[in-house]
Amino acid sequence: MPGTVYTLEVNPRIPPRLQRLSELANDLWYSWDRPTRALFARLQPTLWLAVGHNPKAFLKRIDQKRLDAAAEDPTFIGSFNRVLSAYDTYLDIAADTATRHGFHSDDIIAYFCAEFGLHESLPIYSGGLGILAGDHCKAASDMGLPFVGVGLLYRQGYFIQTLDADGRQHANYHDTDFGDLPATPVQDEQGREIRVAVDLPGRQVQARVWEVRVGRVHLLLLDTSLPENSEHDRDIAHRLYGGDIQTRLEQEILLGVGGVRALAAVGIAPTVWHINEGHAAFLILERIRQLCLQGLSFPVALEAVAANVVFTTHTPVPAGHDHFSEEAITRHFAQWCADVGATPAQLLALGETVGEREFNMTTLAIRGSRLHNGVSRIHGDVSSHICANLWPQIEPAENPLSYVTNGVHTRTFLATEWFETFDRYLGVGWEERQTDAASWAKVEQIPDTTFWGIRQMLKSQLLHMVRHRVSTQHARNEDSPSRLDRLLRLADPNKPNVLTIGFARRFATYKRGALLFHDLERLAKIIANSERPVLFLFAGKAHPADQPGQELIRRIAQIARLPQFEGHILLLEDYDLHLSRRLVAGVDVWLNNPIYPLEASGTSGMKAAMNGVLNVSILDGWWGEGFDNQNGIPNGWSIKPAPGHLDETRRDDEEANSLYEILENQVIPTYYRVGPAGLSTDWVSMAKRAISSITPHFNVNRMVGEYVHNFYLPAAAQGRRYSAEHFATAHAIADWKARVRAAWPGVALRRVDTPPLRLGFGDSLRLEVMVRLNGLPAEDIVVEAVFARPSSSGKSKKGRHAILLPVGDAEHGEQRYALDLTPEHCGKLEYRLRAYPAHAQLTHRFEMGMMLWL
Ligand SMILES: *Cc1c(COP(=O)(O)O)cnc(C)c1O
């Protein structure tokens, strides 16, 4: 058609009585408060779906008549007032909580992450990392922590996925209208939008600062789509993880450097800095630069900065760590070197990793932080090994990389139906007792029929949605109507008694989305019994650059079309937070079969467990800690990883066989062991145990509590200590480290007593070691005996340490250290002697990474 199309959006006028709807629409509190979402939804249900559950976009488009009617509707006003009262109460409790946790009144934690997954209406996340960050913010709000999140506001979040009839993935990106997002530009006192400038080679880029309310805390997000920037620079934060390596570098500079400047621009002076995954590690460089401009030297500034930085790594393989060419780093940080008074070599050393040519962001993050962790016990161990080269003389088991196991935000992922039941059986206020196992144990008191009824209802709701989605997919792909009937034959909301197994996550090859299809004949037999039907629901996106991942989706789509599997396997499009909430609540079993040990943590299984869903999972990530079998009632099923020396095919064989066996002999019979009450009491017992044993530990309040006690409080205190009296401690530590580093190669140990082979019980053992100090004072070196009892497995158990003390003065540059001790037990005893540099102000005793063994 000829002519220009002009577009116009007509916005309703919100009646005065409903004015505070806008306030609710601008606070991500709605992402976990279901009554708030329900309030919007019931105003105009179809529009609510059409705007993707986005309250702000919803309020801009809702029909005026509906708003006016709601303002006069006593039932609606009643619900509205209840929501507002809950909201106001929530915000009100904030006042004194920071100091209650042990923080100083001026403490504030800045939490940096490249993605935040709070709700589908703010699409700035791609998967697990973002959702964890979102949950972290929600817990910070719930706990009333002094906390601010820092991230990027992408014009395009992750893509919307459609699948064609052959299972080919189509990635659709579309620009969001920032006006529709629950984010507001931060303004200065004159009402002008705040800008921060970030330096890139040959130019400055301007960034706008947005604020997102998440209950009691805020998130600051940066974007560069401003007229004053060049066209290239406007697109820096265009797409989450978009563009090439150059864009990635620019995004990370915007996040790290721009984030530090944005905090200053809005008047926030953090006392703890948390880097969640390496993307944000450039914040270390910017903070060093600012201290150097105040007159500190580079080594002193590094100590002062690192003292209060916390770094969490999420990556289980070295190749997954972000890195950039050294040339790109020196080019982008040339001015930094000038400001700091550092050479390019000193800059590059911060990201240098043995055996790698590139600048590694994880290395920078560890060198520039003093508290570091992985995200599960297994992943902590894996990370200690990956990063072992940073503490070259320390054994991985003892290096400073520890772990905090992830958790999930209960109120976000628990289905509405459970809230009332928990109110009744756990007692009102159970949300405040989330980490209390005794409170969760009361789940046992929920009558089986009630419990089962809720499970069935949640499944029914899910199947309703599944039918709708599959029908839409089917219609788009112009498939035959009779095929649709066959496809949906088991997904019947009126008959939610079909065992339903969910598998939804990113289709990355290590997650082995197709392990279930390892032996098609066996799988066909497993599901062929018409008395015990099984329905599998699959969902997940593959990164558009990941061909093997997309191939997995195609393979599953093709298998789903085979006559023996038709109707048993449904593949759902566009896995996001919304679909995730429904799936983890509605299925009976949550399946996870990654390659050990590549699942850093995984969190979807925790969401499933708290909804009474049973996990079937490889013992990897969080499940390594979550699975248990107390009193003979397991809280799920575990697949033991095949021994590490097997090749890929044998490993998949082994683990697929375990999976089939668990399905054949345990999952299916237990589910269908239906008794006179019309339910399987064995299943219900296990499901109750899943809730009561997993939820108290794998919730995000427990996780953030650990961060507070083991990381944030010590970091805040240490930051204060290092910077007090014009950074006296930072100076002392920097000087001391330089001295120790220079002297250490010349330090040597020798034992001077004659080691006895036998000792009578009650006799004492004398240990005497001479240490060549090479100019270091004796108190800078700890000499230690490490004891172990040989165990039956051949491996020594980790034992006690005993410290040898300096005796007399040094003679000819050698210092004597000695200890007399009386063994407490009879039997064989092994011990070793070692020495390492020590200083009372170090964060971790092995921070220097130096150790000499005799
Ligand atoms: C919870 C969640 C994840 C992360 O879970 P994994 O177990 O790591 O896959 C990813 N995507 C969505 C949408 C989620 O809700």
Side-chain angles (χ1 to χ4, degrees):
M1 262 196 290
T4 310
V5 179
Y6 298 96
T7 60
L8 171 74
E9 184 179 81
V10 181
N11 300 137
R13 290 173 198 284
I14 300 181
R17 213 168 166 188
L18 300 182
Q19 209 55 48
R20 292 192 69 197
L21 278 176
S22 317
E23 204 180 319
L24 294 175
N26 269 306
D27 190 332
L28 266 294
W29 140 276
Y30 68 70
S31 69
W32 67 87
D33 190 70
R34 287 158 191 259
T36 303
R37 294 208 297 275
L39 195 68
F40 286 105
R42 71 195 252 199
L43 280 169
Q44 195 172 337
T46 48
L47 178 66
W48 178 248
L49 294 183
V51 297
H53 312 145
N54 178 337
K56 198 162 168 190
F58 180 84
L59 281 188
K60 284 165 73 181
R61 297 181 203 152
I62 185 176
D63 184 351
Q64 184 73 48
K65 286 201 286 294
R66 298 220 185 205
L67 271 182
D68 293 342
E72 301 304 322
D73 172 3
T75 330
F76 184 85
I77 294 293
S79 308
F80 182 49
N81 287 340
R82 273 194 298 282
V83 164
L84 285 178
S85 141
Y87 179 59
D88 290 337
T89 309
Y90 182 85
L91 293 184
D92 223 34
I93 306 172
D96 70 321
T97 45
T99 41
R100 185 158 57 83
H101 288 287
F103 287 102
H104 285 210
S105 57
D106 60 351
D107 272 333
I108 183 150
I109 304 142
Y111 178 90
F112 280 62
C113 191
E115 46 172 316
F116 286 90
L118 292 145
H119 187 252
E120 56 269 24
S121 57
L122 186 58
I124 54 169
Y125 65 94
S126 76
L129 177 70
I131 289 159
L132 181 82
D135 281 3
H136 199 115
C137 296
K138 292 171 185 178
S141 166
D142 290 346
M143 295 163 76
L145 295 184
F147 182 94
V148 60
V150 179
L152 299 181
L153 186 61
Y154 306 96
R155 180 71 66 174
Q156 294 181 341
Y158 211 43
F159 64 93
I160 292 178
Q161 177 200 49
T162 55
L163 300 175
D164 66 21
D166 299 320
R168 253 191 304 266
Q169 168 177 291
H170 298 265
N172 311 298
Y173 287 94
H174 67 92
D175 286 3
T176 32
D177 176 354
F178 283 165
D180 280 354
L181 298 182
T184 332
V186 184
Q187 299 179 340
D188 63 16
E189 276 152 17
Q190 282 82 46
R192 288 174 312 215
E193 285 185 1
I194 285 185
R195 297 277 188 274
V196 292
V198 175
D199 309 274
L200 289 174
R203 65 202 196 270
Q204 274 204 328
V205 178
Q206 298 293 322
R208 180 167 36 188
V209 184
W210 297 79
E211 182 181 70
V212 174
R213 294 192 67 134
V214 184
R216 299 171 190 164
V217 304
H218 291 94
L219 205 56
L220 297 181
L221 301 176
L222 299 173
D223 97 287
T224 60
S225 61
L226 296 166
E228 53 266 45
N229 290 330
S230 72
E231 208 151 321
H232 171 90
D233 291 340
R234 276 177 224 166
D235 281 348
I236 290 177
H238 192 72
R239 181 182 288 181
L240 172 61
Y241 303 139
D244 53 13
I245 188 76
Q246 177 61 27
T247 313
R248 177 66 82 101
L249 177 58
E250 289 168 358
Q251 287 190 347
E252 295 191 6
I253 291 174
L254 179 63
L255 174 61
V257 177
V260 173
R261 296 183 187 176
L263 287 164
V266 304
I268 297 176
T271 54
V272 176
W273 302 74
H274 190 162
I275 300 175
N276 196 43
E277 192 58 315
H279 312 118
F282 288 134
L283 79 81
I284 292 163
L285 298 186
E286 175 59 9
R287 287 186 60 213
I288 289 176
R289 194 184 73 91
Q290 293 186 357
L291 287 183
C292 289
L293 292 178
Q294 290 173 33
L296 265 57
S297 70
F298 168 53
V300 176
L302 174 59
E303 292 306 325
V305 165
N308 62 4
V309 180
V310 176
F311 168 59
T312 303
T313 171
H314 292 260
T315 319
V317 286
H321 295 260
D322 246 350
H323 35 76
F324 299 107
S325 78
E326 299 195 333
E327 182 280 322
I329 294 294
T330 41
R331 189 155 45 82
H332 284 77
F333 288 94
Q335 183 58 41
W336 183 89
C337 288
D339 290 346
V340 166
T343 61
Q346 282 175 303
L347 165 66
L348 293 176
L350 288 171
E352 188 179 272
T353 308
V354 180
E356 278 180 30
R357 298 185 61 93
E358 299 217 300
F359 186 92
N360 184 315
M361 294 298 281
T362 302
T363 306
L364 170 64
I366 291 181
R367 294 227 160 91
S369 63
R370 290 291 171 254
L371 296 153
H372 347 269
N373 69 291
V375 291
S376 69
R377 187 166 61 210
I378 294 172
H379 179 247
D381 187 43
V382 168
S383 301
S384 299
H385 282 86
I386 294 180
C387 301
N389 60 73
L390 290 164
W391 303 278
Q393 296 173 349
I394 309 295
E395 291 182 56
E398 286 196 301
N399 74 24
L401 215 150
S402 63
Y403 73 92
V404 175
T405 305
N406 285 343
V408 294
H409 190 248
T410 310
R411 287 184 65 184
T412 300
F413 293 103
L414 189 71
T416 317
E417 283 67 15
W418 286 119
F419 279 72
E420 279 173 30
T421 313
F422 289 171
D423 277 350
R424 173 135 181 239
Y425 292 93
L426 275 57
V428 174
W430 56 269
E431 290 114 315
E432 313 302 320
R433 301 187 293 272
Q434 276 187 54
T435 52
D436 177 1
S439 171
W440 288 104
K442 295 183 188 153
V443 163
E444 299 295 338
Q445 291 163 16
I446 303 173
D448 283 2
T449 45
T450 308
F451 191 97
W452 185 256
I454 292 175
R455 293 285 334 131
Q456 298 286 89
M457 189 194 314
L458 292 173
K459 200 199 305 185
S460 173
Q461 288 169 6
L462 169 65
L463 293 178
H464 189 75
M465 170 176 172
V466 165
R467 285 186 83 86
H468 178 73
R469 290 206 172 199
V470 172
S471 307
T472 313
Q473 274 167 243
H474 201 76
R476 176 158 24 79
N477 293 330
E478 295 174 4
D479 224 324
S480 84
S482 60
R483 179 154 184 273
L484 182 62
D485 289 344
R486 294 198 304 276
L487 268 183
L488 292 178
R489 125 187 98 85
L490 295 175
D492 183 350
N494 299 317
K495 284 192 238 145
N497 53 356
V498 173
L499 173 63
T500 304
I501 300 181
F503 181 103
R505 49 186 50 82
R506 242 169 347 108
F507 277 106
T509 40
Y510 80 86
K511 295 194 181 242
R512 289 190 297 190
L515 188 73
L516 179 69
F517 309 108
H518 193 72
D519 180 345
L520 287 181
E521 234 170 280
R522 185 154 174 198
L523 180 65
K525 273 202 208 107
I526 290 174
I527 61 167
N529 187 340
S530 59
E531 303 282 293
R532 300 166 154 198
V534 185
L535 172 64
F536 289 96
L537 300 177
F538 279 82
K541 297 174 182 177
H543 191 277
D546 179 7
Q547 288 307 328
Q550 291 175 54
E551 195 48 49
L552 272 178
I553 300 179
R554 197 147 61 215
R555 172 129 191 271
I556 296 170
Q558 282 159 2
I559 292 169
R561 287 186 89 95
L562 298 175
Q564 66 271 38
F565 295 116
E566 200 170 54
H568 286 275
I569 298 162
L570 298 176
L571 190 52
L572 305 169
E573 292 171 336
D574 205 33
Y575 181 52
D576 68 352
L577 264 167
H578 175 228
L579 183 54
S580 158
R581 284 195 305 270
R582 295 300 203 88
L583 280 172
V584 297
V587 297
D588 298 299
V589 171
W590 193 251
L591 177 64
N592 189 20
N593 43 38
I595 298 173
Y596 177 90
L598 300 185
E599 180 88 313
S601 166
T603 50
S604 55
M606 307 174 187
K607 305 168 190 169
M610 67 171 56
N611 280 291
V613 173
L614 293 174
N615 279 277
V616 171
S617 171
I618 298 270
L619 273 179
D620 192 11
W622 80 279
W623 193 233
E625 295 153 67
F627 172 70
D628 85 40
N629 187 1
Q630 265 169 28
N631 314 326
I633 305 175
N635 60 1
W637 289 278
S638 62
I639 303 168
K640 295 198 181 69
H645 62 266
L646 293 188
D647 64 39
E648 233 173 87
T649 325
R650 293 258 326 271
R651 179 198 60 209
D652 287 359
D653 251 359
E654 286 272 331
E655 295 177 8
N657 278 334
S658 303
L659 170 59
Y660 294 137
E661 230 158 71
I662 289 171
L663 292 176
E664 285 162 352
N665 300 330
Q666 316 232 16
V667 177
I668 298 173
T670 310
Y671 184 84
Y672 285 110
R673 202 174 295 139
V674 176
L679 55 90
S680 162
T681 49
D682 291 344
W683 189 274
V684 172
S685 305
M686 284 185 70
K688 286 181 179 174
R689 276 225 64 234
I691 299 181
S692 66
S693 64
I694 291 169
T695 318
H697 192 69
F698 297 95
N699 67 71
V700 75
N701 294 50
R702 187 273 310 156
M703 177 189 93
V704 174
E706 284 183 24
Y707 278 109
V708 166
H709 290 285
N710 303 337
F711 294 80
Y712 296 160
L713 287 170
Q718 179 162 273
R720 261 189 290 280
R721 222 168 40 239
Y722 271 52
S723 62
E725 293 171 40
H726 309 287
F727 297 95
T729 303
H731 270 288
I733 280 284
D735 291 350
W736 178 82
K737 285 188 174 177
R739 219 168 33 242
V740 168
R741 263 191 219 104
W744 193 252
V747 175
L749 313 180
R750 65 189 175 94
R751 186 162 182 183
V752 288
D753 65 296
T754 315
L757 293 175
R758 268 170 223 294
L759 217 57
F761 181 73
D763 289 348
S764 80
L765 169 69
R766 177 152 182 94
L767 300 168
E768 253 185 66
V769 173
M770 293 297 277
V771 179
R772 194 167 77 222
L773 296 170
N774 198 26
L776 293 173
E779 63 270 20
D780 279 3
I781 293 179
V782 166
V783 182
E784 190 175 63
V786 187
F787 295 89
R789 296 197 155 266
S791 71
S792 52
S793 67
K795 275 191 228 149
S796 298
K797 289 212 187 90
K798 225 177 167 181
R800 291 193 315 115
H801 300 173
I803 290 176
L804 284 66
L805 295 174
V807 183
D809 293 328
E811 306 152 23
H812 312 296
E814 271 196 324
Q815 171 71 46
R816 184 182 308 269
Y817 291 75
L819 174 71
D820 290 297
L821 96 174
T822 318
E824 292 165 8
H825 303 281
C826 292
K828 282 214 184 289
L829 188 65
E830 288 174 351
Y831 63 97
R832 297 187 293 164
L833 294 162
R834 66 186 188 181
Y836 56 89
H839 190 293
Q841 295 294 342
L842 292 182
T843 316
H844 188 282
R845 62 191 186 126
F846 300 150
E847 185 174 320
M848 294 296 283
M850 296 166 172
M851 180 76 74
L852 282 176
W853 292 90
L854 249 180

